[in-house]
């Protein structure tokens, strides 16, 4: 099912937290809603889940509204950022979710076994859900949402708050899991890597307003303004009268033939093991430049020329 | 010491003999305090839940008020109810004074703040996102309340035990609004006062033991419910 926000405004405590005139999530797509903390990402997700009301406008899910539809289960399944469980085992938690979704008792065991196998939580099925480690709890949290096989799956920061190895493993597993259990997926994240690894579509939300939307690669290659460019990891440098967005790793030492060139004041040199990094500033912008191993190292305090062959010119604000 | 022993023997004798008056007092005590407890739960659990989950100006002050009311002297509540219900009082027309209903009203007022306070505390101890989780899964409002109550079971049953324990053992309010009328409003605690003032110490002690036993048995049932493992 597709999801659409139509003229949605959410006001809380006199403050507009979300103002989205029109935004669509195509059926079967996976979209990352990306933005800094407090940008309204979670509010958007909760709106689609039917847990928040709009002040104006409406959310449409296929032909339905969010929340329970005339006694039938809601069209969405959500995995919250904070893993919350009822008392009892992991199995009981999955069982309750399926029961509340009116999955026939005979089918529940199959569904649980399937989700547990795919999500790698078979070993903890009979453990108390509230005593799991962060990584396990997050897998169970996801498994519970995925087992519902809802037309629309919503994930709030699916990889936050877990240890690095678990996160790496889950980041690797999630695309396959979404492929198996989810159709239309909306995930919220403040992490650029997560957004690009997990989703094809990207929505950049800043201060409750959609600043960019579209295929993730396209948004990255043509950021519409400075804020979005910086959120996506670009370094924004002034060049002549305009602004240039330099993608991560897009600066090179030396003069560029016809490419924009800047002066970098080196503050220090960091040895990252396999590569040295130059850390310094261009004008008042902090810059981190990775050198190839074996390159001749300048010294701190020195001024060097750097070039940005892949930089994109940012549109001028109206 | 000998009084205690005598009291114990008397208690066993009265109970064993099936003393009709004793049994009617026991049943009346259970009925009055039981009904008051059930009413206090019906009012106090939803109020405590609402108080725990809501946010409004003055919420902390209200909680403090409820928490103070948990320790109100029963005799003061009894006095207030008496003033309201007495024949010449504002609610005198109801003709409730010196009836079991008047006792239920007073005991209800004593138990309700306890139930509200314990409920609010136990609901606040639940994961705050639990209601959202249940709502997102499509649970109806009643189903949500039921599951949340089950999750807060420890605290809710503590609320019931605290409420029942407070009113089955209080004497001031029952005496003031019930009047300790033999065969009508005499309950275990008021009977103990009567027998003591008459100098029937063994009988008073026997009644006291019965009261303790009664309170223990009720709490045994509630504790068993409370401690039962979730399936």
């Amino acid at each position: 099912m597709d999801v659409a926000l139509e003229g949605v405004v959410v006001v809380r405590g006199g403050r507009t937290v979300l103002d989205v005139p029109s935004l669509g999530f195509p059926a079967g797509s996976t979209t990352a809603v990306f933005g800094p903390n407090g940008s309204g990402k979670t509010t958007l997700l909760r709106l689609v889940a039917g847990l928040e009301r709009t002040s104006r406008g409406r959310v449409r899910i296929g032909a339905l509204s969010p929340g329970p539809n005339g006694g039938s289960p809601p069209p969405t399944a959500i995995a919250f950022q904070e893993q919350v469980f009822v008392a009892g085992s992991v199995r009981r938690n999955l069982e309750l979710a399926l029961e509340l979704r009116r999955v026939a008792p005979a089918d529940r065991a199959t569904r649980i076994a399937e989700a547990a196998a795919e999500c790698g939580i078979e070993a903890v099925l009979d453990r108390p859900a509230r005593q799991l480690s962060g990584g396990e709890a997050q897998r169970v949290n996801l498994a519970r949402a995925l087992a519902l096989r809802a037309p629309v799956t919503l994930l709030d920061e699916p990889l936050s708050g877990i240890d690095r190895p678990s996160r790496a493993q889950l980041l690797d597993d999630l695309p396959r899991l979404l492929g198996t259990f989810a159709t239309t997926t909306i995930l919220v994240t403040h992490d650029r890597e997560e957004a690009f690894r997990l989703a094809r579509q990207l929505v950049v939300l800043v201060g409750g307003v959609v600043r960019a939307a579209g295929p993730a690669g396209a948004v990255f290659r043509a950021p519409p303004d400075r804020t979005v460019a910086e959120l996506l990891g670009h370094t924004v440098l002034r060049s002549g009268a305009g602004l240039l967005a330099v993608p991560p790793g897009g600066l090179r030492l030396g003069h560029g033939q016809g490419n924009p060139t800047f002066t970098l004041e080196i503050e220090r040199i960091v040895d990252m093991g396999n590569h040295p990094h130059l850390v310094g500033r261009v004008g008042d912008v902090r810059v981190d430049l990775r050198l190839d191993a074996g390159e001749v190292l300048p010294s701190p305090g020195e001024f060097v020329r750097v070039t940005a062959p892949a930089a994109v010119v940012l549109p001028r604000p109206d | 010491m000998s009084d205690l022993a005598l009291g114990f023997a008397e208690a066993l004798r009265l109970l064993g003999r099936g003393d009709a008056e004793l049994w009617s007092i026991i049943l009346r005590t259970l009925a009055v305090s039981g009904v008051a407890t059930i009413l206090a739960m019906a009012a106090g659990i939803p109020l405590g839940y609402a108080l725990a989950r809501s946010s409004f100006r003055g919420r902390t002050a209200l909680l403090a008020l409820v928490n103070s009311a948990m320790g109100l002297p029963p005799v003061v509540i009894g006095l207030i109810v008496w003033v309201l219900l007495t024949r010449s009082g504002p609610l005198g027309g109801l003709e409730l004074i010196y009836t079991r209903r008047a006792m239920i009203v007073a005991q209800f007022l004593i138990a309700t703040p306890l139930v509200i306070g314990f409920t609010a505390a136990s609901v606040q101890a639940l994961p705050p996102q639990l209601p959202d989780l249940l709502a997102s899964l499509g649970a109806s409002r009643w189903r949500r309340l039921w599951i949340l109550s089950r999750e807060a079971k420890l605290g809710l049953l503590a609320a019931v035990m605290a409420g029942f324990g407070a009113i089955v053992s209080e004497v001031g309010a029952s005496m003031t609004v019930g009047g300790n009328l033999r065969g009508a409003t005499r309950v275990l605690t008021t009977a103990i006062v009567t027998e003591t003032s008459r100098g029937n110490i063994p009988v008073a002690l026997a009644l006291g033991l019965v009261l303790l036993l009664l309170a223990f048995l009720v709490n045994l049932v509630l504790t068993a419910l409370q401690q039962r493992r979730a399936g």
Side-chain angles (χ1 to χ4, degrees):
Chain A
M1 279 184 195
D2 71 316
V3 177
L5 274 66
E6 297 164 354
V8 166
V9 175
V10 177
V11 180
R12 294 284 179 267
R15 203 171 68 87
T16 302
V17 292
L18 207 60
D19 184 353
V20 181
S22 166
L23 180 63
F25 301 89
S29 66
T30 300
T31 307
V33 177
F34 172 73
N37 288 334
S39 58
K41 306 186 297 282
T42 296
T43 304
L44 189 152
L45 209 64
R46 290 173 57 86
L47 219 50
V48 179
L51 297 169
E52 302 263 353
R53 289 174 181 281
T54 60
S55 306
R56 281 205 298 280
R58 66 164 200 151
V59 177
R60 183 177 57 70
I61 302 170
L64 305 170
S65 301
N69 280 273
S72 62
T76 53
I78 182 168
F80 293 95
Q81 180 176 1
E82 301 86 3
Q83 302 122 9
V84 50
F85 302 114
V86 298
S89 66
V90 169
R91 191 188 298 279
R92 193 172 116 75
N93 271 272
L94 295 180
E95 173 91 32
L96 177 68
L98 292 167
E99 183 195 329
L100 288 173
R101 280 299 164 100
R102 305 200 189 136
V103 173
D107 297 338
R108 288 181 208 153
T110 324
R111 291 271 207 108
I112 292 173
E114 193 179 54
E118 292 289 328
C119 297
I121 55 163
E122 283 162 310
V124 299
L125 266 182
D126 293 304
R127 296 240 308 269
R130 287 180 181 162
Q131 290 171 22
L132 300 174
S133 73
E136 288 166 342
Q138 185 55 12
R139 280 180 181 270
V140 173
N141 188 32
L142 291 169
R144 179 174 54 192
L146 294 174
L148 302 177
R149 292 183 179 271
V152 176
T153 302
L154 309 169
L155 310 176
D156 193 355
E157 300 278 4
L159 296 166
S160 75
I162 57 179
D163 58 286
R164 280 181 85 97
S166 308
R167 180 177 177 278
Q169 183 66 51
L170 201 50
L171 196 56
D172 204 31
D173 288 350
L174 250 180
R176 176 178 53 81
L177 293 176
L178 292 178
T180 309
F181 292 99
T183 51
T184 310
T185 305
I186 304 175
L187 65 98
V188 152
T189 178
H190 68 277
D191 184 286
R192 185 164 50 96
E193 188 196 1
E194 276 174 39
F196 282 88
R197 275 181 178 262
L198 300 177
R200 291 280 191 79
Q201 301 288 316
L202 188 68
V203 170
V204 182
L205 203 59
V206 180
V209 175
V210 175
R211 298 285 281 266
V219 173
F220 179 83
R221 284 186 295 272
D225 58 44
R226 174 173 201 150
T227 312
V228 172
E230 287 179 343
L231 280 171
L232 293 175
H234 294 272
T235 304
V236 177
L237 299 173
R238 186 163 291 284
S239 170
L243 290 176
L244 280 182
V246 183
L251 282 176
R252 300 267 177 281
L253 216 50
H255 286 275
Q257 286 81 31
N259 290 319
T261 306
F262 309 92
T263 306
L264 165 66
E265 181 186 0
I266 297 166
E267 288 182 354
R268 57 202 158 88
I269 292 155
V270 181
D271 184 1
M272 298 293 281
N274 52 348
H275 293 283
H277 279 228
L278 295 185
V279 180
R281 43 181 79 237
V282 171
D284 55 359
V285 181
R286 293 202 63 80
V287 163
D288 189 302
L289 189 157
R290 197 184 97 163
L291 298 178
D292 289 328
E295 262 186 282
V296 182
L297 292 179
S299 341
E302 229 178 284
F303 289 83
V304 293
R305 302 293 281 171
V306 291
T307 178
V312 286
V313 180
L314 287 176
R316 286 169 185 278
D318 305 318
Chain B
M1 197 61 225
S2 65
D3 273 352
L4 261 185
L6 270 178
F8 207 66
E10 180 69 11
L12 287 178
R13 199 179 63 77
L14 287 174
L15 284 172
R17 199 179 65 187
D19 183 277
E21 183 165 13
L22 176 64
W23 278 105
S24 77
I25 291 178
I26 291 175
L27 291 178
R28 191 176 303 127
T29 304
L30 269 178
V32 169
S33 294
V35 170
T37 304
I38 289 167
L39 293 177
M41 283 164 64
I45 291 178
L47 282 174
Y49 180 82
L51 203 51
R53 299 275 309 152
S54 60
S55 60
F56 54 88
R57 269 177 81 94
R59 175 175 171 276
T60 306
L62 192 59
L63 262 176
L65 200 67
V66 168
N67 288 334
S68 318
M70 290 170 80
L72 276 186
V75 68
V76 175
I77 303 229
L79 185 60
I80 294 169
V81 174
W82 185 87
V83 168
L84 292 173
L85 294 184
T86 191
R87 302 253 188 275
S88 54
L91 301 175
L94 297 175
E95 298 194 343
L96 286 178
I97 195 70
Y98 305 134
T99 64
R100 289 191 288 274
R101 287 187 178 180
M103 295 166 74
I104 290 173
V105 170
Q107 294 195 352
F108 165 80
L109 291 176
I110 296 165
T112 303
L114 285 161
V115 176
I116 296 176
F118 274 92
T119 302
S122 61
V123 169
Q124 282 192 288
L126 291 178
Q129 307 87 353
L130 202 50
D132 275 351
L133 171 73
L134 299 176
S136 80
L137 290 170
S140 68
R141 172 185 294 260
W142 292 112
R143 192 73 203 277
R144 282 206 301 267
L145 266 181
W146 172 247
I147 295 172
L148 289 172
S149 309
R150 220 171 44 186
E151 292 289 307
K153 187 177 76 165
L154 277 174
L156 292 186
L157 282 163
V160 177
M161 286 187 257
F164 180 79
I167 58 184
V168 79
S169 62
E170 73 78 32
V171 57
S174 297
M175 189 69 98
T176 314
V177 304
N180 191 27
L181 304 176
R182 186 172 183 188
T185 59
R186 182 165 295 175
V187 287
L188 279 167
T189 52
T190 58
I192 291 171
V193 174
T194 309
E195 297 301 335
T196 308
S197 64
R198 282 185 189 153
N200 285 338
I201 304 302
V203 178
L205 274 172
L207 291 169
L209 286 169
V210 169
L211 179 58
L212 292 180
L213 189 68
L214 191 68
F216 173 72
L217 287 177
V218 170
N219 278 306
L220 184 66
V221 172
L222 291 172
T223 309
L225 271 178
Q226 186 190 45
Q227 298 299 323
R228 206 169 54 177
R229 292 254 158 256

